C-alpha cells in the first residue's frame, strides 16, 4: 500500500527556512513529509525546477454574474492555474453586486467544481448595507469587505467620511480599500482629453490617490479597524503606509511595476487604461524602491478584463481595466531574472504575505499540515507571451509579445495536479479558501 498519494521529487523546494533539495510527501490533500521516503500513488519528477508555495492572487475580477462576455468564474480561474496561481480572492463589482448573503452564496455555488483554483469572494460595502457587514464578513468563503472610495467599474461606491466611518465600525476583519478620492476626481473631470488615454493619470492624479489614502488611514485609526490598501501606484503612498503598519497593509500590482506612462499610452492606447492609472517611469521605480524595502505586503493582479470592442472605444468612453491573473507570476519571475528583486521576496508577496494579511488557514507555506498547494516553475525558461496561451475570455493582454525569463510549469492544488506544462486536468475541483476569522471567531 502506498505511503503517499503524491510525491514531488528532485526539485528545489522553497521552505520557510529557504531553498532545499528535498522530496515532498502528500496525503489527503495535505503536506505530510519533507524528505519523503516510501511509495506514492503518483510521483512528479521536478528535476531542474523550483517548487514554490502555491501562489495566491488576492485581487481578481472574474465578472460573473452579469458580465460574462468579459469573463466568468471558469475562464478566469482557468487563466489563473495556467499562470501558476492556486487561490484567488474575487471582487464584488458584478451584476448584481456581491453585497448580500444571497449574492455570496450564489457565487460560491457557481464556483464549486467549476473554478479550477481555490477561491474566496469579497462583499462590497455600500451606503445601505453597513449594518449588515459584520455578519456578512463572517460567512464561510468570504475574503472580507471591499470599499470603493472612488468610482471604478460598476456602481459600488462609498465616498464620504460619514458612510466610510459606518462601514469601518461594522465588523472586525481587515477591510480592502480602493483609495481614490471621488470628490477630487469629480472636480478634475475636465482634465480628461477626448481620444487621449495619456490624460487618464492627469485626471486621476497622485493627489486623488494620496488624499484618499490619508483619509482612510485617519478613519481606520478612529474606528480601530485594520485596512488593506489595494493597487498602490505612488511612492509617497507607500512611504506613508510604511509609517502606519500597525493598522494598514498594502498591495502593488505587476502592471504598475512593469509599465510606464511614457511608453504604455503611445504603444497600447486604451489597453493601458486602468484605475488607479499606469503612471510615470519615476513612479514605477519608486514602487520598486519601497517593494525592496519590504513595505508592500502582497502582490495582486487586479485582473479586470474587458472585451476588445469595449477597449477600442475612444477615451474616456473606454472602460478601465486589464487582464493579469495569468501573467502575474511570469512577469515577476522575469523581474527576478533581471535582478529587480529576489525569489524570496516574490514568495513573500504571493504566499506568506497573503497568509499573514488575511489569516488564511492551511495555505501560504510548504510545511507539514498545510494544504499541498505548489507552484512549480522553471526559472531559466525563455519564452514569449502569445495570445494562444491566454485563457481569459477577453482574449488579450498588454504583455502579448513580451519575451520573458521564468515560466510556471505546474499548478498543484490540495495534492491534485491541475496544470502541468500548459495542459489542464480533466476536471475542476476548486474549493472555498478558509480564514481564521471565520473558522475561529
Amino acid at each position: 500500500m502506498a505511503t503517499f498519494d503524491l510525491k514531488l521529487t528532485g526539485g528545489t523546494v522553497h521552505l520557510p527556512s529557504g531553498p532545499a533539495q528535498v522530496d515532498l510527501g502528500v496525503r489527503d490533500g495535505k503536506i505530510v513529509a519533507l524528505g519523503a521516503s516510501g511509495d506514492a500513488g503518483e510521483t512528479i519528477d521536478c528535476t531542474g525546477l523550483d517548487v514554490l508555495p502555491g501562489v495566491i492572487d488576492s485581487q481578481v475580477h472574474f465578472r460573473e454574474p452579469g458580465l460574462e462576455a468579459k469573463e466568468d468564474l471558469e475562464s478566469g480561474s482557468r487563466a489563473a492555474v495556467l499562470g501558476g496561481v492556486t487561490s484567488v480572492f474575487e471582487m464584488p463589482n458584478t451584476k448584481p453586486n456581491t453585497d448580500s448573503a444571497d449574492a455570496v452564496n450564489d457565487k460560491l455555488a457557481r464556483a464549486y467544481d467549476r473554478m479550477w483554483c481555490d477561491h474566496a469572494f469579497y462583499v462590497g460595502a455600500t451606503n445601505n448595507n453597513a449594518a449588515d457587514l459584520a455578519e456578512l464578513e463572517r460567512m464561510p468563503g468570504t475574503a472580507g469587505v471591499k470599499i470603493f472610495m472612488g468610482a471604478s467599474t460598476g456602481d459600488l461606491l462609498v465616498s464620504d467620511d460619514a458612510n466610510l466611518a459606518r462601514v469601518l465600525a461594522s465588523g472586525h476583519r481587515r477591510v480592502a480599500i480602493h483609495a481614490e478620492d471621488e470628490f477630487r476626481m469629480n472636480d478634475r473631470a475636465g482634465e480628461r482629453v477626448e481620444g487621449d488615454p495619456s490624460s487618464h493619470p492627469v485626471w486621476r492624479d497622485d493627489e486623488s490617490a494620496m488624499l484618499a489614502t490619508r483619509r482612510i488611514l485617519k478613519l481606520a485609526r478612529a474606528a480601530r479597524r485594520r485596512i488593506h490598501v489595494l493597487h498602490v501606484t505612488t511612492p509617497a503612498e507607500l512611504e506613508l503606509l510604511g509609517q502606519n503598519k500597525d493598522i494598514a497593509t498594502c498591495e502593488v500590482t505587476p502592471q504598475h511595476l512593469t509599465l510606464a506612462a511614457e511608453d504604455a499610452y503611445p504603444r497600447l492606447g486604451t489597453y493601458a487604461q486602468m484605475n488607479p492609472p499606469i503612471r510615470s517611469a519615476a513612479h514605477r521605480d519608486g514602487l520598486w524602491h519601497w517593494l525592496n524595502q519590504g513595505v508592500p505586503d502582497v502582490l495582486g493582479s487586479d485582473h479586470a478584463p474587458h472585451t476588445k470592442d469595449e477597449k477600442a472605444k475612444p477615451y474616456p468612453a473606454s472602460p478601465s481595466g486589464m487582464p493579469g491573473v495569468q501573467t502575474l507570476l511570469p512577469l515577476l519571475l522575469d523581474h527576478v531574472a533581471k535582478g529587480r528583486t529576489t525569489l524570496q521576496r516574490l514568495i513573500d508577496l504571493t504566499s506568506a504575505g497573503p497568509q499573514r494579511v488575511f489569516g488564511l488557514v492551511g495555505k501560504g507555506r510548504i510545511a507539514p499540515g498545510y494544504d499541498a498547494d505548489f507552484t512549480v516553475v522553471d526559472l531559466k525558461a525563455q519564452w514569449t507571451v502569445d495570445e494562444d496561451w491566454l485563457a481569459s475570455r477577453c482574449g488579450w493582454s498588454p504583455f502579448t509579445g513580451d519575451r520573458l525569463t521564468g515560466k510556471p510549469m505546474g499548478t498543484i492544488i490540495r495534492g491534485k495536479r491541475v496544470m502541468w506544462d500548459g495542459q489542464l486536468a480533466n476536471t475542476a475541483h476548486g474549493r472555498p479558501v478558509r480564514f481564521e476569522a471565520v473558522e475561529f471567531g
Side-chain angles (χ1 to χ4, degrees), residues 158-404:
V158 183
S159 56
D160 63 289
D161 285 3
N163 279 307
L164 287 166
R166 288 176 59 232
V167 169
L168 292 172
S170 181
H172 300 281
R173 294 178 69 185
R174 193 179 294 276
V175 181
I177 311 291
H178 180 128
E180 290 185 286
D181 190 272
E182 181 71 4
F183 304 103
R184 180 174 175 84
M185 292 192 298
N186 285 340
D187 289 343
R188 293 178 59 80
E191 298 293 331
R192 294 176 293 186
V193 177
E194 191 81 27
D196 181 9
S198 71
S199 65
H200 196 60
V202 179
W203 166 42
R204 302 176 88 108
D205 66 346
D206 288 38
E207 186 57 26
S208 69
M210 189 60 155
L211 188 58
T213 297
R214 283 197 205 99
R215 284 174 56 209
I216 202 66
L217 281 169
K218 183 178 179 180
L219 290 163
R221 203 165 284 289
R224 299 180 62 82
R225 188 75 182 271
R226 294 170 299 165
I227 58 170
H228 178 64
V229 182
L230 300 164
H231 42 43
V232 179
T233 58
T234 74
E237 284 176 279
L238 288 180
E239 183 174 12
L240 177 64
L241 289 161
Q243 296 162 4
N244 288 273
K245 277 297 183 184
D246 58 324
I247 203 162
T249 55
C250 61
E251 168 199 88
V252 289
T253 79
Q255 301 92 298
H256 294 113
L257 291 169
T258 304
L259 300 173
E262 295 88 339
D263 166 72
Y265 294 110
R267 181 169 59 88
L268 297 168
T270 53
Y271 286 87
Q273 179 189 336
M274 66 175 293
N275 301 332
I278 301 300
R279 304 194 192 277
S280 70
H283 286 87
R284 180 188 62 191
D285 294 346
L287 298 184
W288 276 111
H289 167 77
W290 290 110
L291 183 143
N292 286 317
Q293 292 281 309
V295 172
D297 300 271
V298 303
L299 188 76
S301 70
D302 193 15
H303 175 87
H306 299 283
T307 66
K308 292 179 181 179
D309 286 347
E310 290 170 323
K311 292 297 275 188
K313 293 177 181 177
Y315 183 82
S318 46
S320 293
M322 60 180 70
V325 68
Q326 194 169 346
T327 51
L328 176 146
L329 181 60
L331 288 172
L332 265 292
L333 290 173
D334 188 65
H335 288 306
V336 168
K338 289 180 167 68
R340 294 193 180 105
T341 193
T342 65
L343 188 59
Q344 180 183 1
R345 182 69 173 119
L346 169 58
I347 291 167
D348 185 58
L349 288 162
T350 57
S351 55
Q355 195 285 325
R356 284 194 309 270
V357 169
F358 299 104
L360 302 180
V361 175
K363 296 191 184 294
R365 64 169 55 197
I366 297 177
Y370 280 73
D371 287 356
D373 291 356
F374 309 117
T375 299
V376 183
V377 301
D378 184 340
L379 296 177
K380 297 183 174 64
Q382 295 188 331
W383 62 292
T384 300
V385 179
D386 60 54
E387 284 196 355
D388 289 344
W389 177 71
L390 299 172
S392 174
R393 182 161 291 169
C394 73
W396 63 275
S397 165
F399 305 107
T400 302
D402 284 12
R403 184 80 175 160
L404 304 178

